[in-house]
Amino acid sequence: MKYAIILGNLGNTNDRFLSSGYKDQPSKEEMIKRAAAIEGVEGVELVGTWDITSENVEQVGGLLSKYNLKCASIIPDHFAQKRWGSGAFSSKDPAIRAQAVEETAKMAEAARALGCDLLSLWPGQDGYDYPLQADYRQERQWIEEGVRGLARSYPQTRFALEYKAKEPRTHSTLARVADTLLTVQETGRANVGVTIDTGHAYVAGEVVGESIVLAKRAGNKLIHMHFNDKNASWDDATIVGAVHSIAYIETLYWLDRTGYTGWLSMDQYPYREDGAAAIGESILWLNRFDEIMQPQRAEIDRLIALDDAIETSRFLRKAMLGA
Amino acid sequence: MKYAIILGNLGNTNDRFLSSGYKDQPSKEEMIKRAAAIEGVEGVELVGTWDITSENVEQVGGLLSKYNLKCASIIPDHFAQKRWGSGAFSSKDPAIRAQAVEETAKMAEAARALGCDLLSLWPGQDGYDYPLQADYRQERQWIEEGVRGLARSYPQTRFALEYKAKEPRTHSTLARVADTLLTVQETGRANVGVTIDTGHAYVAGEVVGESIVLAKRAGNKLIHMHFNDKNASWDDATIVGAVHSIAYIETLYWLDRTGYTGWLSMDQYPYREDGAAAIGESILWLNRFDEIMQPQRAEIDRLIALDDAIETSRFLRKAMLGA
Amino acid sequence: MKYAIILGNLGNTNDRFLSSGYKDQPSKEEMIKRAAAIEGVEGVELVGTWDITSENVEQVGGLLSKYNLKCASIIPDHFAQKRWGSGAFSSKDPAIRAQAVEETAKMAEAARALGCDLLSLWPGQDGYDYPLQADYRQERQWIEEGVRGLARSYPQTRFALEYKAKEPRTHSTLARVADTLLTVQETGRANVGVTIDTGHAYVAGEVVGESIVLAKRAGNKLIHMHFNDKNASWDDATIVGAVHSIAYIETLYWLDRTGYTGWLSMDQYPYREDGAAAIGESILWLNRFDEIMQPQRAEIDRLIALDDAIETSRFLRKAMLGA
Amino acid sequence: MKYAIILGNLGNTNDRFLSSGYKDQPSKEEMIKRAAAIEGVEGVELVGTWDITSENVEQVGGLLSKYNLKCASIIPDHFAQKRWGSGAFSSKDPAIRAQAVEETAKMAEAARALGCDLLSLWPGQDGYDYPLQADYRQERQWIEEGVRGLARSYPQTRFALEYKAKEPRTHSTLARVADTLLTVQETGRANVGVTIDTGHAYVAGEVVGESIVLAKRAGNKLIHMHFNDKNASWDDATIVGAVHSIAYIETLYWLDRTGYTGWLSMDQYPYREDGAAAIGESILWLNRFDEIMQPQRAEIDRLIALDDAIETSRFLRKAMLGA
C-alpha cells in the first residue's frame, strides 16, 4: 500500500457557482507540508500549470526533498487553460494539438528531473457536448497519434491514460476502461497504459475489480490508480467509503491478485472539508479494507470459484461487520 | 425489529427470457414452512391471486396458525393478471377500475379474517410507457378516488401505497415518495399512507433516511417498510448489504428516530439463490446494522447536529469496520 | 410564448478545472444589449450579487428600460458566496439563515422597484454531501420557515422554489418537484409555488409534462419555467432540442392545457458557445415545437384519451418529421 | 436499408409479474406471416429453442420460403433454459460450457441450411449478480475460448457478439461495445465481430454513432445492428423514435459513413402493443430519419469538421423539424 495524493486536493476548491472558491489557496510549500503530514502519504502527484511548470521544477523538487515526498506522477495540464477549451490532443486546430504534445513533453522532462517515470494523462477537454459535433474517428485517431509519438520520444516514461465518461465535456473521448484500452493497444507502445480512477469507473457503470481485470487481460496495462468515492452518476470525488464499502474490498482483492504494484493515489475534491483530513480519512478506510481483505485472500479465491451468493454474503458480513 | 417476508420470495422466479422460471414452485404449505424456519421471521405478506384469494382464506389462515406466523399484510393483485395490463386503479376502462377496487375490498376482508389490518397497495401496472400516452392528471385522480373510497369503506384497515419509479411500466404513476405523499394527502383519510421499499427508493435516486423523514413530516404517513438492495438504476431486489452498507445504518437510525413501529418486511427476488437463505442473510445484515447503530444513537444525533463530514467518516469507519 | 433569459447566460462560463473561465466577462450593459438583440426575448432574470444588488437597482432598471426589457424575475444569491457554502436557508448557523432571509428580502424590494413581482429561489447550497451529515427534518423545516416568513412579509411578491436533485451539493434538499410541492404546501401561503427547470426535471428522472400536472394538482402551484436540455444524469444545461424532441412537445402541451401563463425563461450554461446564439437557438426550437403542437391540441387530447402507443407514434412521426 | 425483425417480437410478451403473458402466443406460421406483412421487412432473426431447433429447420425454412423472407440471423439460445441460469459460455460447470458451444454449433448448421451466414450471440446469462461472485478473468476467458473454437470450426459463419450492460444478470460480462471488441480481438478470428443494439448502447451510456466508430476502428468489426428505443437506464425496447430523435439521424449517418451494409434488425419488446404495428412504426421512423439524413450527408460532413454547436443546432432544427 504505497499512498500518494494529488497535491491540488489540499488547495482551494470551486465550482461554476462559486468560482472564487469555497476555501483559500495555501502556498505551494504549505500544501506540500500538509501532504507530508498525512499519515501514510509517501508521494504526490503534481498537476501541470497548477503545481508544476518547466520553470519551477527545481523549486518543487527542493520542496519535495525537504518534506521527504516522492513525485508519484505528473498530470500535464490539458484542461485548465482557455486554449484547451475545445480539446487538446484532439482539437480541430493543429496548432493546439501540437501544443498538447509539447506541454506533455515538457512534463516528461520535468518528471525525469524529479526522478519520476510516470505521466498520468487526463485529456479532459477532449470530447464533445452536442450530437453531430465530433468526428469520433478522427479525434480518437489524433489522441492515439499524440500519445504514440510521446511514448516513442520518451521510452523511459510510462504514460497512463485516465478515462472519465464526462465532465468537463458532456462526453469524453476516453470514456471507459475498455475504449481506453483499445486506444492504448493501437499506440502499439509498451510504455502506454491506463489510470483507473474509482469514481470515474463508478460513473461509467463499471465494477472496478472487473476494470482492473480488463486492463490485466489487455497486456498488463494498469499503470496507476486514483481513489475516491461518489454517489449516483457524477464525479463527486468524496472520501473513500462514504458510499461504497464492499466495492473497495473487491478492488483491493483484484489489485492484489493481478499483481498491481503501483501507487494508490488519492484524487478527491473536498469542496467544503479540510483537504488533509479528508485524504487522511480515505487512507484509513483503505487501510482498514485491506486489513479485512488480506487475511482472507485464499477464502475469497475459494468463494469466487464457488459462485454462491449466499456464502459470499455470509463471508462479507462477518469479515466486514464482525458478525 | 419485527421481521416479515413476502411469501413469494420463497417460490419460483422468472423473467422475460425464462418465463417458466429459474427454480421449481413449492407448495403453499412448503413456502410457509420455509418462512417459519427463517430465524427472526414473525410474519408473512401475502400477495393476492398468487398466495391468497377470497376462496382460500381459511386454508391460508390455518397454515399460518400451524407455523405460528402472523399475516403482516396483504398485497392485493393489481399486476399479475392480463386484465390489469394497461392499468388497474387508473385503467381507462371504468370496468377495470371497478374491478381494481373490488379486488382490494376482497383482500381487506381477507386481511380482517386473518387478523391483519394492513394492505400494501402496489399499483404496478398504473403508469405509462410512451410520451403523450397518459393523462397524468386524470389517472392520478382515479388512483386517489379508488383509494379514498376504499379507505372510507374500511376505516379499520390501513392502506399503504408503495411507489416505484418503473417496471413493469417504463413510468409508474406512484413513482417517488413525495408524489405518493401528495396523493395520500389528497385522499384526506387518516388510514392511508406509504410503503417505502429501500430498492425502489434507491432506483428513484432517494436517500431512504430522507424519504422516511418526508413521510414523517407529511403527517406520520410511513406505514410499512420493504427491504432489499440493488445496483445502479434497476430494481434488482438483492440481499440487503450486497451493495449498500452505510445507507442501512442511516435508514435504521431514521426509522428509530421517527418512531417507526411497523414491520421490516423482506421483499427480494432471489432469481438464482435459495430464497430462504437469501432472506435469512438480509435479516442477519439488518440485525448487524442495527447492533452497530443502536448503541450509537446519541452519538449520531450529535454528528447530525455537528455537520462535519470528517467526524462522521471517522465515526462510521470505527462503528462499522471496527477501526 | 413569453420568453426571458437569465442574464448570466450571456457572460463568462467556468468550471472547477478552468475557474477563470472559457470566455471573457462582458459588461452588464453589453449583456443586457445582447439579451435585447435575441429574437423573441422580452424579459431577463437577474441573479443577486452577479447582476443585481440593493445598490445598483436604479442603474439596472435604467439599462432594462433603455433596451426595452422587463425584469422577469430576480434569483437571489444563495449560492455564490463563501458564506452560503454549507447552506443558506438551512445552514446550521442561525446567523447565516438570517442572512439568507435578509438577502431575499432585499431582492424582493429590488424586484418591486423594477416592477417585478417574482422571485425564483434556488437554494442550491441547501443540501448535503455525506450520509449522516444532515438533519433532514430540521433543515427542510428551516427552509419552510424562511420562505413562509418572506411570503408573509411580501404578500405581493410570488416566491417560486426551484428544485434540483444535486449540484453544487451531492444532494439538494429541494430535489424533485413533489418534495418541493410538499414544502410549498407546508408554508400555507398562496404566493409560494415552484419553478420547474426542464433539465433539473430530467436529472430527477421526471417527465416534465407530469411534473407540470403535479404542480397543477397541488393547487395551481407552477409559477415559473426554466428551459434547457441535457444528456443522461447531469445538469448540462445545453441548447433546447440538443437531446430531447418529443419531450418538449409534450411539455408545451401540458403547459397549455394547465393554463400556464408565465415566462418561458432560458436557463442554459453555454460553456464554449456564443451565449446569445445558443439562447436564440433554444427559442427557435421551442417556437417550432409549439408550432407543431398548437394546431394539434385537440388531436393530442384525443390521443391521450385513447391510450394507443401505435397511434401516438404515427401522430408524432407525421407532426414532427412531416411523414 | 435492409430491414429484418426478431421473430419473437410478434409473439407473446411477459415479465416477472405476469409470467403467462400480456398477450396470446400465435403459431409459428402466423408470426412469420405477420412479419412478411410488415412493409419493408425482408428478413427474420430466429431465436434458438423459441423459433428454431435442429429438428424443425426444414419446416421453418419452408415457411420462410412460402412468405418470401430471408433468415437474417440465428440467435442461439443461451438464456431461455434453466440450464443456462448461472451462465452458458462462462458457466463454472464445464458440462454447461460444452453445451453452450454445442448449441451454437447446431445453430451454425441450421443457419447454413437456411442459407444464412450470421449468428448473433447474446450470452445474456453470462455475468454476475453479486460482488465477489465472479472470476472476471476466467469467465471472460471462457467466453473467448468458446467463441474462438466456434469461429474456427465454422469459418464461413460470422459470429456477432451482442453486448448489454445488465438483465437478466445485474452485470453482464459482455457489457459495452469496447470490452466486447477487446474480447473479439482476443479471439483472433476474422469472422468474429459485434452486434450493436441501440437500446443496449443507450443503457451503457454510449452514443451509438461513437460505438459504431469504435467497432470500425477495431478492424471493421460491426457485423449486425438491432434497433429499438428506451427511457433512462433500462432496456425498455420500445418503438424507435419514442424517446430519441437526433440520435437515430447520427446513427444512420455513421452507419453510412463507415460503410455498413448489414441488416437493420428490429429488436423490440412490445409488452402491450400489437407487435407488427410496433415494428412497422419503427421502420417508418427509421426510413424518415434516413430520408432526412441522406440528402444532407455532405452537409453533415462539413458540420462535423466545423465543430460549431450553434451551426449544428440550426441545421438539425431545419432538417428535422422543417424550420
Side-chain angles (χ1 to χ4, degrees):
Chain A
M1 309 290 277
K2 204 172 58 171
Y3 292 112
I5 172 180
I6 297 189
L7 194 60
N9 287 199
L10 303 176
N12 194 4
T13 55
N14 66 79
D15 58 34
R16 59 183 172 126
F17 306 109
L18 182 43
S19 60
S20 59
Y22 289 86
K23 304 176 179 175
D24 295 309
Q25 181 61 31
S27 72
K28 202 181 298 292
E29 175 156 8
E30 178 58 28
M31 289 204 290
I32 289 174
K33 192 176 158 188
R34 288 185 197 173
I38 302 170
E39 181 77 28
V41 169
E42 297 174 47
V44 294
E45 290 194 75
L46 302 166
V47 174
T49 304
W50 289 349
D51 301 319
I52 189 155
T53 62
S54 293
E55 286 68 42
N56 72 1
V57 178
E58 215 167 321
Q59 179 213 352
V60 170
L63 288 169
L64 292 180
S65 293
K66 178 171 173 189
Y67 292 98
N68 200 25
L69 288 169
K70 283 180 197 130
C71 174
S73 99
I74 291 179
I75 301 169
D77 170 18
H78 299 118
F79 43 81
Q81 296 177 63
K82 247 183 203 139
R83 57 174 169 158
W84 314 128
S86 296
F89 283 108
S90 70
S91 168
K92 283 169 184 171
D93 178 347
I96 298 293
R97 295 200 300 273
Q99 289 173 31
V101 169
E102 188 194 351
E103 182 68 23
T104 316
K106 280 184 189 166
M107 291 301 104
E109 305 282 0
R112 186 186 295 174
L114 295 171
C116 164
D117 77 338
L118 172 58
L119 293 199
S120 191
L121 305 188
W122 177 56
Q125 303 281 5
D126 289 295
Y128 53 96
D129 300 310
Y130 283 88
L132 293 179
Q133 180 180 28
D135 185 333
Y136 307 124
R137 200 168 174 185
Q138 177 63 76
E139 293 181 17
R140 190 170 288 266
Q141 181 74 16
W142 279 329
I143 293 176
E144 185 220 307
E145 287 169 7
V147 174
R148 192 198 302 134
L150 284 158
R152 212 165 1 201
S153 302
Y154 296 89
Q156 311 304 330
T157 301
R158 294 174 301 148
F159 295 84
L161 307 187
E162 181 169 359
Y163 62 94
K164 183 179 180 185
K166 52 187 170 179
E167 197 211 13
R169 309 306 299 259
T170 68
H171 298 80
S172 312
T173 298
L174 301 183
R176 298 171 189 87
V177 71
D179 67 70
T180 307
L181 287 167
L182 285 170
T183 295
V184 164
Q185 293 187 337
E186 286 161 6
T187 68
R189 308 300 301 183
N191 57 332
V192 179
V194 298
T195 294
I196 295 179
D197 178 292
T198 55
H200 297 185
Y202 299 149
V203 170
E206 299 174 2
V207 168
V208 180
E210 191 170 15
S211 303
I212 291 165
V213 169
L214 283 166
K216 182 71 181 181
R217 279 177 58 85
N220 210 21
K221 287 300 188 188
L222 179 59
I223 293 181
H224 194 48
M225 286 294 303
H226 282 168
F227 279 86
N228 54 63
D229 206 342
K230 60 163 280 293
N231 297 276
S233 48
W234 189 250
D235 183 34
D236 297 324
T238 67
I239 297 170
V240 167
V243 182
H244 296 79
S245 307
I246 294 173
Y248 291 102
I249 294 177
E250 193 183 32
T251 295
L252 292 170
Y253 167 79
W254 281 105
L255 283 176
D256 191 3
R257 186 161 151 190
T258 58
Y260 179 74
T261 56
W263 292 94
L264 307 192
S265 187
M266 303 303 108
D267 180 2
Q268 300 176 211
Y269 204 82
Y271 285 97
R272 298 164 182 83
E273 294 77 34
D274 176 73
I279 297 295
E281 270 302 301
S282 287
I283 289 175
L284 290 169
W285 279 89
L286 283 170
N287 274 341
R288 186 68 191 125
F289 286 129
D290 200 55
E291 283 169 16
I292 289 168
M293 186 276 289
Q294 282 299 350
Q296 306 283 357
R297 268 286 274 107
E299 176 63 2
I300 299 178
D301 290 349
R302 191 187 72 81
L303 286 165
I304 281 179
L306 186 66
D307 190 10
D308 180 326
I310 306 294
E311 281 295 309
T312 297
S313 173
R314 204 167 284 155
F315 163 77
L316 281 166
R317 187 164 39 77
K318 289 183 185 163
M320 193 166 78
L321 304 187
Chain B
M1 308 288 278
K2 203 172 58 171
Y3 291 112
I5 171 180
I6 296 189
L7 194 60
N9 287 199
L10 303 176
N12 194 6
T13 55
N14 66 79
D15 58 34
R16 60 185 171 125
F17 305 109
L18 182 42
S19 61
S20 59
Y22 289 85
K23 304 176 178 175
D24 296 309
Q25 181 61 31
S27 72
K28 200 179 300 292
E29 176 157 6
E30 179 58 28
M31 288 204 292
I32 288 174
K33 192 175 156 188
R34 287 184 197 173
I38 301 169
E39 182 76 28
V41 169
E42 298 174 47
V44 294
E45 289 194 76
L46 302 166
V47 173
T49 304
W50 289 349
D51 301 320
I52 190 156
T53 61
S54 292
E55 285 68 43
N56 72 2
V57 179
E58 216 168 322
Q59 180 213 350
V60 169
L63 289 168
L64 292 180
S65 293
K66 178 171 173 189
Y67 292 97
N68 200 23
L69 287 169
K70 283 178 198 132
C71 174
S73 99
I74 291 179
I75 301 169
D77 171 19
H78 299 118
F79 43 81
Q81 296 176 63
K82 247 185 203 135
R83 58 175 168 157
W84 313 128
S86 295
F89 284 108
S90 70
S91 168
K92 284 171 183 169
D93 178 347
I96 298 293
R97 295 200 300 273
Q99 289 173 31
V101 169
E102 188 194 352
E103 184 68 22
T104 315
K106 281 186 189 166
M107 291 301 103
E109 306 281 1
R112 186 186 296 174
L114 295 171
C116 163
D117 78 337
L118 172 59
L119 293 199
S120 191
L121 305 188
W122 178 55
Q125 302 282 4
D126 289 295
Y128 53 97
D129 301 309
Y130 282 88
L132 292 179
Q133 181 180 28
D135 185 333
Y136 307 123
R137 201 167 174 188
Q138 177 63 78
E139 294 182 15
R140 190 170 288 267
Q141 180 74 16
W142 280 328
I143 293 176
E144 185 220 306
E145 287 169 6
V147 173
R148 191 199 302 133
L150 284 158
R152 210 161 7 198
S153 302
Y154 295 90
Q156 311 305 328
T157 301
R158 293 175 301 149
F159 295 84
L161 307 187
E162 181 169 359
Y163 63 95
K164 183 178 178 184
K166 53 186 170 179
E167 196 211 15
R169 310 305 299 259
T170 68
H171 299 78
S172 312
T173 299
L174 301 183
R176 298 169 188 86
V177 71
D179 66 71
T180 307
L181 287 167
L182 285 169
T183 296
V184 164
Q185 293 187 336
E186 286 161 5
T187 67
R189 308 300 302 182
N191 57 332
V192 179
V194 298
T195 295
I196 295 179
D197 177 292
T198 55
H200 297 186
Y202 298 149
V203 170
E206 298 173 4
V207 168
V208 180
E210 191 171 14
S211 303
I212 291 165
V213 168
L214 283 166
K216 183 72 182 180
R217 279 177 58 85
N220 209 21
K221 287 300 187 186
L222 179 59
I223 293 182
H224 195 48
M225 286 294 302
H226 283 169
F227 279 86
N228 54 64
D229 207 342
K230 60 162 281 294
N231 296 278
S233 48
W234 189 249
D235 183 34
D236 296 325
T238 68
I239 298 169
V240 166
V243 182
H244 296 79
S245 307
I246 294 173
Y248 291 102
I249 295 176
E250 193 183 33
T251 295
L252 292 170
Y253 167 78
W254 281 106
L255 284 176
D256 191 4
R257 186 162 151 189
T258 58
Y260 178 74
T261 57
W263 292 94
L264 307 192
S265 186
M266 303 302 109
D267 180 3
Q268 301 177 211
Y269 204 83
Y271 285 98
R272 297 164 182 82
E273 294 76 34
D274 177 74
I279 296 295
E281 271 302 303
S282 286
I283 290 175
L284 290 168
W285 279 90
L286 283 171
N287 275 340
R288 187 68 191 125
F289 286 129
D290 199 55
E291 283 169 17
I292 290 167
M293 185 277 289
Q294 283 297 350
Q296 306 283 357
R297 267 287 273 108
E299 175 64 1
I300 299 177
D301 289 349
R302 190 187 71 83
L303 286 164
I304 281 179
L306 186 66
D307 190 10
D308 180 326
I310 306 294
E311 281 294 310
T312 296
S313 173
R314 204 167 284 155
F315 164 77
L316 280 167
R317 187 164 40 75
K318 289 182 185 164
M320 192 167 79
L321 304 187
Chain C
M1 308 289 276
K2 204 171 58 171
Y3 291 112
I5 173 179
I6 296 188
L7 194 61
N9 288 199
L10 304 176
N12 194 6
T13 56
N14 65 79
D15 57 36
R16 60 184 171 128
F17 306 109
L18 182 42
S19 61
S20 58
Y22 289 86
K23 304 176 178 176
D24 297 308
Q25 182 60 31
S27 71
K28 202 179 299 291
E29 175 156 7
E30 179 57 29
M31 288 205 290
I32 289 174
K33 191 175 158 188
R34 286 185 198 171
I38 302 169
E39 182 76 28
V41 169
E42 296 174 49
V44 294
E45 290 194 74
L46 302 167
V47 173
T49 304
W50 289 349
D51 302 319
I52 190 156
T53 62
S54 292
E55 287 67 43
N56 72 2
V57 178
E58 214 169 322
Q59 179 213 353
V60 170
L63 288 169
L64 293 180
S65 293
K66 178 172 172 188
Y67 291 100
N68 200 25
L69 287 168
K70 283 177 199 132
C71 174
S73 98
I74 291 180
I75 301 169
D77 170 18
H78 299 119
F79 42 82
Q81 294 177 63
K82 247 182 204 142
R83 58 175 169 157
W84 313 129
S86 295
F89 283 108
S90 69
S91 169
K92 283 169 183 172
D93 178 347
I96 298 292
R97 295 201 300 274
Q99 289 173 30
V101 168
E102 187 194 353
E103 183 68 23
T104 316
K106 280 186 190 166
M107 290 302 105
E109 306 282 0
R112 187 187 293 172
L114 295 171
C116 164
D117 77 338
L118 173 59
L119 292 199
S120 191
L121 305 189
W122 177 56
Q125 303 282 6
D126 288 295
Y128 53 98
D129 300 310
Y130 282 88
L132 293 179
Q133 181 179 28
D135 185 333
Y136 307 126
R137 201 166 174 188
Q138 176 63 77
E139 293 182 16
R140 190 171 288 267
Q141 181 74 16
W142 280 328
I143 294 176
E144 186 220 306
E145 287 170 5
V147 173
R148 193 199 302 135
L150 284 157
R152 212 163 2 199
S153 302
Y154 295 89
Q156 311 304 329
T157 301
R158 292 174 301 149
F159 295 84
L161 307 187
E162 181 169 359
Y163 62 94
K164 184 178 178 185
K166 51 186 171 181
E167 195 210 16
R169 309 305 298 261
T170 69
H171 299 80
S172 312
T173 298
L174 301 183
R176 299 170 188 86
V177 70
D179 66 70
T180 307
L181 287 167
L182 285 169
T183 296
V184 164
Q185 292 188 336
E186 287 161 6
T187 67
R189 308 300 303 181
N191 58 332
V192 179
V194 298
T195 294
I196 295 179
D197 177 292
T198 56
H200 297 185
Y202 299 149
V203 170
E206 299 174 3
V207 169
V208 180
E210 192 170 14
S211 303
I212 292 166
V213 168
L214 283 166
K216 183 71 182 180
R217 278 178 58 85
N220 209 23
K221 288 298 188 188
L222 178 59
I223 293 182
H224 194 48
M225 287 293 304
H226 283 168
F227 279 86
N228 53 64
D229 206 343
K230 62 162 279 293
N231 297 277
S233 48
W234 190 250
D235 183 34
D236 297 324
T238 68
I239 297 170
V240 166
V243 182
H244 296 80
S245 307
I246 293 173
Y248 291 102
I249 295 176
E250 193 183 32
T251 295
L252 293 171
Y253 168 78
W254 281 106
L255 284 176
D256 192 3
R257 187 162 150 190
T258 57
Y260 178 74
T261 56
W263 293 94
L264 306 191
S265 186
M266 303 303 108
D267 181 2
Q268 302 176 209
Y269 205 82
Y271 286 96
R272 297 162 182 84
E273 295 77 33
D274 176 75
I279 297 294
E281 270 302 301
S282 286
I283 290 175
L284 290 168
W285 279 90
L286 283 171
N287 275 339
R288 186 68 192 126
F289 286 128
D290 199 56
E291 282 169 18
I292 289 167
M293 186 276 288
Q294 282 298 350
Q296 305 285 356
R297 269 286 274 105
E299 177 62 3
I300 298 177
D301 289 349
R302 191 187 70 83
L303 286 164
I304 281 179
L306 186 65
D307 191 9
D308 179 326
I310 308 294
E311 281 295 310
T312 296
S313 173
R314 204 168 281 154
F315 163 77
L316 280 167
R317 187 165 38 77
K318 289 183 184 163
M320 192 167 79
L321 304 187
Chain D
M1 308 287 278
K2 204 171 58 172
Y3 292 113
I5 172 180
I6 296 188
L7 195 60
N9 288 199
L10 304 176
N12 194 6
T13 55
N14 66 78
D15 58 35
R16 60 185 172 126
F17 306 109
L18 182 43
S19 61
S20 58
Y22 289 85
K23 303 175 178 177
D24 297 309
Q25 181 61 31
S27 72
K28 200 180 299 291
E29 176 156 6
E30 179 57 28
M31 289 205 290
I32 290 176
K33 193 175 156 187
R34 287 185 197 172
I38 301 170
E39 183 76 28
V41 169
E42 296 174 49
V44 294
E45 289 195 76
L46 302 166
V47 173
T49 305
W50 290 349
D51 301 320
I52 191 155
T53 62
S54 293
E55 287 66 44
N56 73 2
V57 178
E58 215 169 321
Q59 180 212 352
V60 169
L63 288 168
L64 292 179
S65 293
K66 179 173 171 186
Y67 292 97
N68 201 25
L69 287 169
K70 282 178 199 132
C71 173
S73 98
I74 291 179
I75 300 169
D77 170 19
H78 299 118
F79 42 82
Q81 295 176 63
K82 247 184 204 136
R83 58 174 168 157
W84 313 128
S86 295
F89 283 108
S90 70
S91 168
K92 284 170 183 171
D93 178 347
I96 298 292
R97 295 201 299 274
Q99 289 172 30
V101 169
E102 187 194 352
E103 183 68 23
T104 315
K106 280 186 190 166
M107 291 301 105
E109 305 282 1
R112 187 187 293 173
L114 295 171
C116 164
D117 77 337
L118 172 59
L119 293 200
S120 190
L121 305 188
W122 177 57
Q125 303 282 6
D126 289 296
Y128 54 95
D129 300 310
Y130 282 87
L132 292 179
Q133 180 180 30
D135 185 332
Y136 307 124
R137 199 165 176 189
Q138 177 62 77
E139 293 182 17
R140 190 171 288 268
Q141 181 75 14
W142 280 329
I143 294 176
E144 186 220 304
E145 286 169 7
V147 173
R148 192 199 301 134
L150 284 158
R152 209 162 7 199
S153 302
Y154 296 89
Q156 311 304 328
T157 301
R158 293 175 301 148
F159 294 84
L161 307 187
E162 182 169 359
Y163 63 95
K164 183 178 179 184
K166 52 185 170 180
E167 196 210 15
R169 309 306 298 261
T170 68
H171 298 81
S172 312
T173 299
L174 301 183
R176 298 171 189 85
V177 70
D179 67 70
T180 306
L181 287 167
L182 285 169
T183 296
V184 164
Q185 292 187 337
E186 287 162 5
T187 68
R189 308 299 304 181
N191 57 332
V192 179
V194 297
T195 295
I196 295 178
D197 178 293
T198 55
H200 298 185
Y202 299 148
V203 170
E206 299 175 2
V207 168
V208 181
E210 192 170 15
S211 303
I212 292 166
V213 168
L214 283 166
K216 183 72 183 181
R217 279 177 58 85
N220 209 20
K221 286 299 187 187
L222 178 60
I223 293 182
H224 195 49
M225 287 293 303
H226 282 168
F227 279 87
N228 54 64
D229 207 343
K230 60 162 281 292
N231 296 278
S233 49
W234 189 249
D235 183 35
D236 296 325
T238 68
I239 297 170
V240 166
V243 181
H244 296 79
S245 307
I246 293 172
Y248 291 102
I249 295 176
E250 194 183 32
T251 296
L252 292 170
Y253 168 80
W254 281 106
L255 284 176
D256 192 3
R257 186 162 150 189
T258 58
Y260 179 73
T261 57
W263 293 93
L264 307 192
S265 187
M266 303 303 108
D267 180 3
Q268 301 176 212
Y269 204 82
Y271 286 97
R272 297 163 183 82
E273 295 76 34
D274 176 75
I279 297 294
E281 269 302 301
S282 285
I283 291 175
L284 289 169
W285 279 90
L286 283 171
N287 274 339
R288 187 66 192 127
F289 286 128
D290 199 56
E291 283 169 17
I292 288 167
M293 186 276 288
Q294 282 298 350
Q296 305 284 358
R297 268 287 273 104
E299 176 63 3
I300 299 176
D301 290 349
R302 191 187 71 82
L303 286 164
I304 281 178
L306 186 66
D307 190 10
D308 179 326
I310 307 294
E311 280 295 309
T312 297
S313 173
R314 204 168 282 155
F315 163 78
L316 280 166
R317 187 165 38 78
K318 289 183 183 161
M320 193 167 79
L321 304 186

